[in-house]
Amino acid sequence: MKINSLETVMRCHIAAFEAMAGCCTEILYDRMKTAVIGEDDAGVVTYNASLVALLAHYGSAPRACQPYRAKTKGKVERPFRYIRQDFFLGRSFHDLDDLNAQFDVWRADIANARAHATTGRIVQEHFAQEQPHLHPLPALRYDAVLSVERRISREGMVAVAGNYYSVPDTARRRVVEIQHHTHEVLIFEEGKLIARHPVLEGKNRKRIEPGHRKAPPVQHAEMLPTTPAVPILQRPLAFYGAVGERLANINAKGTA
């Protein structure tokens, strides 16, 4: 899974703000490409416009780490090292939902209940004191829309950001309009919504809505023509006695 794709980064920001029930004034980034586009000779940093728009919606602003300064970059990366070593190492899960469920338990019972190595304070108690200083969440969740046109494949799928989503078999046009939101993909045919999918993580994944495929026709067993029954000829017992007597005479002459 490509964790630092722009769509994933934006969804993670929204999920983090909602989990904290508030928004911070400033967010420090380690110059990842989805956040920092470049920097001129005067030291002015150019940020990803889509990310800036999301942060502005939540009342936050980006700040980039100083280049080649391990102190600030390490501050950003250290929590992820802790999560990788304490949560992911040696753990297995069935799917993304199972992973998220296990992470919620680990976060509540272990990560937030521990004494932080730097501050020496219990994480959840420290956050309870800081949470009132966060900006309140906006009335509406951020929901940017990217509209594009896509051609339906022979398999009845459309490609969006490296993944594939189904359209109904009843779709008449080969080109449809796609609205790519932060959390879902909407597919329109001539202005009519024909499909709705949650955004898939990673690349080259497929999602087929069960109702989009027609049920296969029922296969009836082939009825073979029946062979007419041959009537059994009934003869009297005297007939069989005569045949037996004749055969006995023939055998007697052959042995004489």
Side-chain angles (χ1 to χ4, degrees):
M1 180 175 64
K2 189 177 181 181
I3 298 177
N4 63 341
S5 67
L6 180 59
E7 295 82 6
T8 302
V9 168
M10 294 176 70
R11 286 195 298 275
C12 287
H13 277 72
I14 295 172
F17 292 145
E18 293 177 352
M20 295 188 300
C23 318
C24 44
T25 303
E26 191 176 73
I27 300 180
L28 182 65
Y29 296 95
D30 64 348
R31 294 181 173 260
M32 61 184 184
K33 293 181 180 180
T34 46
V36 176
I37 302 299
E39 183 178 356
D40 62 16
D41 295 336
V44 177
V45 176
T46 301
Y47 296 97
N48 187 303
S50 297
L51 182 61
V52 171
L54 180 144
L55 295 178
H57 180 80
Y58 288 96
S60 297
R63 184 165 71 89
C65 290
Q66 293 294 327
Y68 312 110
R69 188 180 180 188
K71 182 177 180 180
T72 54
K73 186 174 177 63
K75 184 185 296 184
V76 173
E77 294 181 344
R78 196 171 300 116
F80 298 100
R81 186 183 304 117
Y82 167 67
I83 294 172
R84 182 172 61 250
Q85 294 176 351
D86 199 278
F87 174 73
F88 280 104
L89 193 62
R91 186 181 296 268
S92 61
F93 51 90
H94 303 297
D95 51 28
L96 186 60
D97 291 337
D98 182 30
L99 170 63
N100 287 332
Q102 292 187 44
F103 183 79
D104 287 340
V105 174
W106 173 84
R107 184 183 59 175
D109 297 345
I110 297 177
N112 290 349
R114 82 189 194 282
H116 195 275
T118 301
T119 65
R121 302 176 63 181
I122 303 298
V123 174
Q124 57 193 10
E125 295 176 357
H126 194 175
F127 176 72
Q129 295 179 358
E130 292 189 348
Q131 200 278 335
H133 298 286
L134 298 175
H135 298 303
L137 290 172
L140 298 176
R141 170 191 275 185
Y142 184 76
D143 192 19
V145 179
L146 173 64
S147 296
V148 294
E149 287 189 344
R150 289 289 185 268
R151 178 171 293 276
I152 302 174
S153 70
R154 293 181 179 180
E155 294 77 24
M157 310 291 288
V158 293
V160 182
N163 291 312
Y164 301 89
Y165 302 86
S166 66
V167 299
D169 287 340
T170 54
R172 300 183 303 276
R173 297 188 59 183
R174 301 311 300 170
V175 177
V176 291
E177 179 188 353
I178 308 297
Q179 288 188 4
H180 190 187
H181 297 248
T182 52
H183 288 80
E184 65 179 353
V185 171
L186 305 181
I187 304 175
F188 293 83
E189 181 185 46
E190 297 180 335
K192 180 182 178 182
L193 179 65
I194 61 172
R196 181 191 299 267
H197 297 272
V199 172
L200 294 173
E201 298 283 358
K203 295 292 182 182
N204 296 318
R205 297 183 61 193
K206 293 183 179 181
R207 185 179 190 276
I208 299 177
E209 186 71 24
H212 288 175
R213 298 294 177 256
K214 297 177 182 177
V218 178
Q219 298 292 331
H220 296 285
E222 183 179 0
M223 300 300 292
L224 298 176
T226 58
T227 303
V230 178
I232 299 176
L233 186 62
Q234 299 287 338
R235 291 186 173 89
L237 293 178
F239 171 81
Y240 296 105
V243 171
E245 184 177 352
R246 182 176 178 80
L247 290 175
N249 293 333
I250 293 174
N251 290 334
K253 292 179 180 180
T255 56

